[in-house]
Amino acid sequence: LKTIGDFAFNQCYNLTGDLFLPTLETIGTNAFYGCTSLTGEASLPKVVTIEMMAFYRCTGLTGLSLPNV
């Protein structure tokens, strides 16, 4: 998986847990908008592009690891 498109998981309130996506490179606009059940830190080691509001209102996330952004 290299790309998560625009609005892919927009307001998926039941999407839970940590995000570890080791091959992901691009996150689209509002891709995880309002995913309030995501928790912990999102580890995205290969991401180079994050579009607008990709993680807006993801209130459960405590951090983002984005070494290539």
Side-chain angles (χ1 to χ4, degrees), residues 4 8 15 20 23-24 30 40-42 44-45 47 54-55 57 60 63 67:
I4 293 180
L15 187 62
F20 176 65
T23 61
L24 190 66
N30 290 4
E41 183 171 309
L44 308 163
V47 168
F55 291 98
R57 294 196 177 181

Side-chain angles (χ1 to χ4, degrees), residues 26-43:
T26 301
I27 302 172
T29 300
N30 290 4
F32 293 98
Y33 177 102
C35 294
T36 55
S37 295
L38 288 175
T39 58
E41 183 171 309
S43 180

Side-chain angles (χ1 to χ4, degrees), residues 12-67:
C12 288
Y13 305 114
N14 294 322
L15 187 62
T16 62
D18 296 329
L19 279 181
F20 176 65
L21 300 167
T23 61
L24 190 66
E25 296 175 2
T26 301
I27 302 172
T29 300
N30 290 4
F32 293 98
Y33 177 102
C35 294
T36 55
S37 295
L38 288 175
T39 58
E41 183 171 309
S43 180
L44 308 163
K46 291 191 177 182
V47 168
V48 292
T49 303
I50 300 176
E51 299 296 341
M52 293 186 316
M53 297 171 57
F55 291 98
Y56 187 69
R57 294 196 177 181
C58 291
T59 55
L61 286 178
T62 57
L64 291 172
S65 175
L66 301 161

